[in-house]
């Protein structure tokens, strides 16, 4: 079991839900959040929000995912990101779960 954390701009909410369903993730939670990035020392092209704005309407998904399904989620997100023309991408991380109840 791994804890999968996904963040992106709110506009990708529908696509993330589809990715999770297609990867056979049966239960997940999500919440609207304000994403913040201090881009004062970066060029706009390196800012993952894709603008000079420091705050953006974002979304945070989290799910406990069986190990065998984690690569399906990563692969689908990598494919989605490779097809985007925008600077904003879906970000994903997986954390090992030592114990759960």
């Amino acid at each position: 079991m791994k804890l999968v954390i996904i963040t992106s701009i709110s506009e990708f909410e529908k696509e993330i839900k589809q990715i999770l369903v297609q990867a056979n993730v049966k239960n997940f939670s999500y919440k609207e959040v304000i994403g913040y990035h201090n881009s004062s020392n970066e060029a706009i092209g390196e800012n993952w929000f894709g603008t000079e704005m420091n705050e953006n309407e974002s979304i945070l998904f989290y799910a406990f995912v069986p190990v065998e399904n984690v690569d399906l989620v990563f692969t689908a997100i990598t494919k989605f990101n490779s097809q985007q023309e925008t600077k904003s991408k879906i970000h994903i991380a997986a954390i090992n779960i030592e114990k759960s109840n």
Side-chain angles (χ1 to χ4, degrees), residues 4-38:
V4 172
I5 301 168
I6 301 170
T7 62
S8 80
I9 57 174
S10 295
E11 287 81 358
F12 295 153
E13 177 181 342
K14 179 182 172 185
E15 290 83 355
I16 294 170
K17 287 177 181 176
Q18 289 175 346
I19 287 169
L20 291 171
V21 168
Q22 290 171 355
N24 212 15
V25 176
K26 299 191 184 298
N27 300 302
F28 57 86
S29 300
Y30 70 97
K31 180 164 182 55
E32 292 180 4
V33 296
I34 298 297
Y36 176 80
H37 181 78
N38 182 354

Side-chain angles (χ1 to χ4, degrees), residues 14-78:
K14 179 182 172 185
E15 290 83 355
I16 294 170
K17 287 177 181 176
Q18 289 175 346
I19 287 169
L20 291 171
V21 168
Q22 290 171 355
N24 212 15
V25 176
K26 299 191 184 298
N27 300 302
F28 57 86
S29 300
Y30 70 97
K31 180 164 182 55
E32 292 180 4
V33 296
I34 298 297
Y36 176 80
H37 181 78
N38 182 354
S39 60
S40 60
N41 292 331
E42 294 180 2
I44 292 175
E46 296 175 15
N47 177 351
W48 77 271
F49 287 113
T51 68
E52 291 180 2
M53 291 177 42
N54 290 332
E55 292 184 357
N56 198 4
E57 293 180 10
S58 299
I59 194 155
L60 169 72
F61 284 79
Y62 50 96
F64 292 100
V65 178
V67 173
E68 60 270 13
N69 294 35
V70 172
D71 283 342
L72 297 172
V73 180
F74 268 86
T75 300
I77 288 175
T78 300

